[in-house]
Amino acid sequence: VVGIGDGTGWYTFYSSVNSALAVATAGQTIKFFANIVETTSTSLTLKDGVDFDLNGFSYTLSVADDTNMFDTPASAVNVKFTNGGLFRTNAVRTTANNGLIFRFTAIGNVLTFDNSFVISNDTEGLIKFGKQTDVYGGVWKGADTFGGGLMEMDGDCSLNNAIVLMDSDSTINNAGLINDCTILSTSVTNVILINSQGGNITNCYIDG
């Protein structure tokens, strides 16, 4: 269902994203050839320089526990997602640090989205990032009923050129920089679009 190309058009194929990640090295791209629904508690560890070409398909983590879809290793990663969607469904958040699509703990990460979207259902957040992480692009949609933030940004982080769509009582907890973004509420009750905790917002369109 996924493959890693050798640069000449030939691919080595793998039966899961995790098995492809295990052998991928910096400069390679994991390319999707089908929609994938993961129903086991599999958290993928991003690798620096290993990108994802979703190729018009999607990756879904659908398991009723607090597994994060993606985590970062101890060292920083620079990763790009193109042409597809990421979904997290049926998560059970027990703390603000789990049940997410992305959880960044290393210092200095860069995450880039091109023609890609990230969607959660109404029981979990999308991303918690700190430690000087910069996120570029993407369409982000979801709600958070855990009581934390839909997107939680620590200081020295940034969200750039993104579109964020928010349902229910959801919040961006911002201690970093939100720049050139469009942030829209699709709910009719009690939405806090941005809870700024020492953060900055520049050149954004915000409507609730």
Side-chain angles (χ1 to χ4, degrees):
V1 291
V2 295
I4 298 176
D6 65 0
T8 67
W10 291 93
Y11 282 85
T12 301
F13 291 96
Y14 301 87
S15 60
S16 71
V17 180
N18 211 22
S19 59
L21 263 174
V23 299
T25 59
Q28 292 184 321
T29 297
I30 297 173
K31 187 172 183 176
F32 280 51
F33 291 91
N35 295 317
I36 300 172
V37 180
E38 177 61 65
T39 57
T40 62
S41 301
T42 301
S43 184
L44 303 174
T45 300
L46 295 172
K47 285 186 174 180
D48 186 36
V50 176
D51 297 328
F52 294 83
D53 179 2
L54 299 170
N55 193 29
F57 297 104
S58 63
Y59 179 73
T60 301
L61 176 61
S62 180
V63 58
D65 65 14
D66 61 0
T67 302
N68 293 327
M69 180 184 285
F70 291 98
D71 285 298
T72 56
S75 56
V77 297
N78 188 328
V79 176
K80 185 175 184 179
F81 290 83
T82 58
N83 301 321
L86 303 173
F87 298 90
R88 179 67 173 101
T89 61
N90 298 319
V92 179
R93 294 191 78 190
T94 56
T95 75
N97 295 321
N98 57 34
L100 301 162
I101 294 183
F102 290 100
R103 171 74 172 119
F104 289 99
T105 55
I107 298 174
N109 303 285
V110 178
L111 187 64
T112 303
F113 291 85
D114 183 7
N115 194 31
S116 297
F117 51 90
V118 183
I119 298 178
S120 73
N121 66 19
D122 63 358
T123 57
E124 70 276 348
L126 291 170
I127 183 171
K128 183 175 176 66
F129 55 112
K131 313 293 185 180
Q132 301 171 19
T133 292
D134 296 316
V135 177
Y136 296 91
V139 177
W140 301 73
K141 184 179 187 299
D144 187 280
T145 57
F146 176 73
L150 180 73
M151 307 180 82
E152 299 185 53
M153 301 171 57
D154 290 346
D156 299 321
C157 298
S158 70
L159 175 67
N160 307 273
N161 301 111
I163 297 172
V164 184
L165 307 174
M166 309 172 81
D167 293 332
S168 188
D169 299 343
S170 42
T171 308
I172 296 178
N173 290 330
N174 174 39
L177 171 65
I178 300 175
N179 183 55
D180 292 327
C181 293
T182 297
I183 301 172
L184 303 174
S185 166
T186 58
S187 174
V188 294
T189 59
N190 288 335
V191 173
I192 303 173
L193 286 179
I194 297 175
N195 180 15
S196 192
Q197 304 166 341
N200 294 304
I201 304 168
T202 63
N203 201 35
C204 293
Y205 176 81
I206 302 170
D207 192 5

